[in-house]
């Protein structure tokens, strides 16, 4: 285990040692070597040699040659990641590669009409522990295909087809693009805009990534809602109320068997600025409904306060608390575990993504500094506790991670310290990070109790971009 962990860290450092010099070299002025000595400055000035601007390859400038109504964009992402202590078991470790290719085409016949399509191919290599299908792998398929009717800034716009849904900080609805095979929905979304507010009304079904056939939605799943935004209610703040409806089939109620989920989530998000360089974010949501013979009664909240200091290094301090209800009694036909719906949960409750927004108290303290322009360095401390001792702790993907059926003797789940740095190596290439979890009393009771480590290095290259 130690040998493999060292190998993972060495691999990350090797990639970083290649990446950083490239970044530094990219920042050097083209004519830095053509400095004039004091003696030479006394001579008559000579015409400086012309500096020929370096253009990207012809292929990357293809959009300059295409008609204005057609735009192409490509993206290749490579990420090396691993773990040591999966399931908090010291014998489960791995180091593997995730590759993803995307290609977009946008056709805009007029300001009132546009079409967009995106194909995606996602692959995983050298993964030997755990699953290797979706979301790690998704063979070439049509990820998005939609039409927009109405001007982008007009009073009404309708989008129909396979599309992403992204709202707020994506704690409940997002594209989860961090995953190799990200999420989309099939359906229709109408956006209404006035000077005072904007509102999306949508009716969709989540797309299931299938191994050997065309990705499909449906199968009893329905996801619809209204999400509004206004900046007129609270000074220097955005207020975002929403109502979301989720339906799914063949889920298991507490009494057993299979039932149909009918769940409504009602909530509001507020994000704004305060005096003394402070900004804040608050989101609260309540869930009601049924699953078969079970009633649903759950809620969750997010509270964050940040301070940004003036100066070149742009130091930022973050304090945050998150709560999501759990199920106090697994036999009373009342489901109290909050459902985080379809989020983008990466780095919301810890960089290792071992904890999700379900049955949890989560405290976070963060520190960010930018020692060089465009080079933010962030470190965070996290600590978690169970909301209900008879319920499980769940990971970012909503899967039960550990449970003590008779009730945990101690609610403290554990702690995480994480570190990450991001850097645009050129205008088109980014990324590295490391997270380490120390198990608390609950994880030591419910699992083998080993620590968990998660390193990754990621590079994204965007080609055929306008800039």
């Amino acid at each position: 285990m130690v040998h493999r962990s060292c190998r993972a860290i060495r691999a990350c450092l090797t990639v970083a040692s290649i990446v950083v010099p490239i970044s530094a070299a990219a920042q050097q002025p083209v004519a830095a070597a053509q400095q004039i000595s004091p003696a030479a400055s006394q001579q008559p000035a000579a015409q400086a040699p012309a500096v020929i601007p370096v253009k990207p390859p012809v292929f990357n400038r293809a959009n300059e040659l295409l008609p204005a109504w057609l735009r192409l964009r490509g993206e290749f992402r490579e990420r090396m990641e691993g773990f040591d202590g999966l399931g908090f078991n010291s014998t489960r470790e791995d180091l593997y590669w995730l590759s993803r290719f995307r290609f977009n085409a946008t056709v805009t016949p007029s300001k009132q009409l546009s079409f967009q399509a995106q194909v995606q191919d996602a692959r995983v290599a050298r993964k030997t522990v755990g699953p290797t299908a979706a979301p790690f792998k998704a063979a070439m398929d049509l990820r998005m295909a939609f039409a927009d009717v109405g001007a982008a800034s007009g009073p009404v716009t309708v989008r129909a087809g396979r599309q992403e849904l992204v709202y707020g900080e994506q704690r409940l609805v997002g594209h989860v693009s961090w995953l190799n095979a990200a999420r989309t929905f099939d359906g229709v979304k109408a956006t209404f805009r006035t000077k005072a507010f904007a509102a999306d009304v949508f009716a969709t079904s989540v797309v299931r990534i299938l191994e050997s056939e065309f990705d499909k939605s449906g199968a009893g799943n329905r996801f619809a809602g209204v999400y509004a935004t206004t900046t007129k209610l609270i000074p220097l703040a955005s207020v975002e109320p929403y109502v979301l409806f989720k339906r799914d089939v063949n889920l298991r109620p507490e009494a057993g068997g299979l039932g149909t989920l009918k769940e409504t989530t009602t909530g509001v998000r507020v994000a704004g600025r305060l005096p003394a360089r402070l900004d804040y974010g608050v989101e609260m949501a309540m869930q009601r409904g049924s699953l078969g013979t079970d009633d649903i009664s759950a809620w969750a909240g997010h509270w964050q306060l940040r301070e940004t200091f003036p100066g070149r290094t742009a130091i930022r301090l973050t304090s945050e608390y998150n709560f999501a209800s759990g199920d106090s009694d697994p036999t009373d036909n009342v489901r109290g575990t909050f459902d985080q719906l379809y989020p983008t949960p990466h780095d919301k409750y810890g960089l290792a993504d071992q904890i999700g927004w379900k049955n949890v108290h989560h405290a976070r303290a963060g520190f960010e500094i930018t020692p060089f322009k465009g080079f933010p360095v962030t470190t965070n401390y996290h600590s978690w506790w169970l909301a209900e001792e008879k319920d499980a702790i769940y990971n970012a993907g909503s899967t039960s991670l550990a449970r003590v059926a008779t009730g945990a003797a101690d609610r403290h789940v554990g702690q995480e310290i994480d570190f990450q740095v991001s850097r645009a190596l050129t205008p088109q290439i980014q990324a590295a990070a490391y997270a380490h979890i120390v198990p608390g009393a609950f994880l030591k009771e419910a699992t083998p109790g080993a620590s968990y480590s998660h390193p990754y290095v990621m590079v994204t290259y965007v080609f055929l971009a306008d800039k």
Side-chain angles (χ1 to χ4, degrees):
M1 178 185 70
V2 174
H3 172 74
R4 189 151 189 171
S5 299
C6 292
R7 180 162 62 87
I9 295 172
R10 283 200 304 270
C12 291
L13 291 176
T14 299
V15 174
S17 68
I18 296 171
V19 160
V20 172
I22 294 174
S23 175
Q27 299 178 66
Q28 298 302 315
V30 174
Q34 300 175 2
Q35 297 183 4
I36 302 175
S37 67
S41 66
Q42 304 300 319
Q43 302 299 321
Q47 185 175 359
V51 178
I52 302 174
V54 179
K55 288 187 176 182
V58 173
F59 183 68
N60 259 7
R61 291 182 281 121
N63 281 327
E64 298 177 9
L65 307 176
L66 293 174
W69 52 265
L70 174 62
R71 284 293 176 264
L72 305 177
R73 184 183 187 276
E75 175 189 297
F76 178 77
R77 189 180 79 178
E78 187 76 18
R79 184 165 79 235
M80 181 187 66
E81 66 177 35
F83 53 78
D84 183 357
L86 182 65
F88 304 97
N89 185 330
S90 62
T91 65
R92 305 196 71 190
E93 53 190 35
D94 207 353
L95 180 67
Y96 50 91
W97 294 86
L98 297 170
S99 304
R100 186 176 77 189
F101 170 77
R102 288 178 175 177
F103 189 80
N104 287 60
T106 302
V107 176
T108 310
S110 72
K111 292 182 179 181
Q112 301 292 328
L113 181 64
S114 67
F115 304 90
Q116 186 175 146
Q118 181 189 82
V119 294
Q120 174 181 273
D121 185 75
R123 307 282 171 154
V124 59
R126 302 185 66 180
K127 192 173 190 295
T128 59
V129 178
T132 56
F136 298 96
K137 181 176 69 174
M140 180 71 76
D141 210 321
L142 185 66
R143 181 172 177 267
M144 291 196 297
F146 59 82
D148 283 336
V149 180
S153 58
V156 181
T157 304
V158 176
R159 174 170 291 183
R162 182 162 295 183
Q163 59 191 279
E164 295 179 339
L165 294 178
V166 175
Y167 294 111
E169 292 182 297
Q170 303 184 53
R171 294 181 184 274
L172 291 174
V173 185
H175 50 54
V176 70
S177 195
W178 168 258
L179 295 180
N180 222 28
R183 178 188 303 120
T184 53
F185 299 82
D186 284 341
V188 178
K189 177 180 69 176
T191 302
F192 302 91
R193 304 178 186 88
T194 71
K195 292 182 178 180
F197 76 96
D200 281 359
V201 180
F202 62 89
T204 65
S205 177
V206 69
V207 175
R208 295 170 293 127
I209 298 173
L210 303 175
E211 182 72 24
S212 56
E213 54 183 307
F214 185 74
D215 295 345
K216 298 176 182 177
S217 59
N221 175 268
R222 300 290 184 271
F223 186 58
V226 179
Y227 196 103
T229 302
T230 179
T231 57
K232 302 299 183 180
L233 293 180
I234 300 177
L236 303 177
S238 173
V239 179
E240 303 167 13
Y242 53 83
V243 178
L244 308 170
F245 175 75
K246 177 181 177 181
R247 179 186 184 275
D248 223 331
V249 296
N250 298 325
L251 301 180
R252 191 172 297 279
E254 289 183 350
L258 296 177
T260 297
L261 172 72
K262 297 178 181 179
E263 178 182 83
T264 301
T265 303
T266 305
V268 62
R269 174 178 180 262
V270 182
R273 291 183 287 130
L274 296 170
R277 307 181 302 271
L278 297 174
D279 62 85
Y280 66 94
V282 175
E283 183 165 0
M284 299 181 69
M286 176 183 69
Q287 291 179 337
R288 295 293 185 267
S290 63
L291 171 52
T293 57
D294 294 349
D295 291 328
I296 295 173
S297 180
W299 74 282
H302 159 75
W303 299 267
Q304 183 186 79
L305 184 65
R306 297 187 300 184
E307 180 176 6
T308 303
F309 293 86
R312 181 182 59 83
T313 55
I315 293 175
R316 173 177 290 180
L317 302 180
T318 301
S319 58
E320 181 178 320
Y321 171 67
N322 298 290
F323 170 81
S325 62
D327 195 6
S328 60
D329 185 346
T331 63
D332 64 354
N333 292 332
V334 177
R335 300 176 68 86
T337 307
F338 186 73
D339 179 5
Q340 58 182 349
L341 302 180
Y342 302 107
T344 296
H346 175 62
D347 199 22
K348 294 290 193 301
Y349 316 101
L351 188 67
D353 291 339
Q354 294 301 291
I355 306 296
W357 206 18
K358 300 166 71 76
N359 190 40
V360 70
H361 295 273
H362 166 230
R364 170 187 171 218
F367 173 81
E368 180 181 310
I369 187 171
T370 306
F372 313 104
K373 184 178 180 180
F375 196 90
V377 179
T378 306
T379 184
N380 288 286
Y381 167 79
H382 306 264
S383 193
W384 312 284
W385 295 262
L386 294 174
E388 299 290 346
E389 66 270 14
K390 289 186 178 180
D391 201 350
I393 192 69
Y394 299 84
N395 65 17
S398 295
T399 302
S400 174
L401 191 64
R403 180 197 298 264
V404 178
T406 57
D410 193 302
R411 295 193 183 198
H412 188 229
V413 176
Q415 306 170 81
E416 174 181 307
I417 186 75
D418 56 53
F419 171 87
Q420 56 183 319
V421 59
S422 59
R423 174 62 177 166
L425 306 180
T426 77
Q428 299 191 22
I429 307 181
Q430 302 95 20
Y434 179 80
H436 183 76
I437 295 177
V438 178
F442 167 74
L443 285 176
K444 290 179 180 178
E445 178 185 6
T447 72
S451 61
Y452 177 88
S453 298
H454 171 62
Y456 74 82
V457 174
M458 182 171 68
V459 176
T460 303
Y461 178 66
V462 178
F463 58 95
L464 285 174
D466 288 336
K467 294 184 179 179

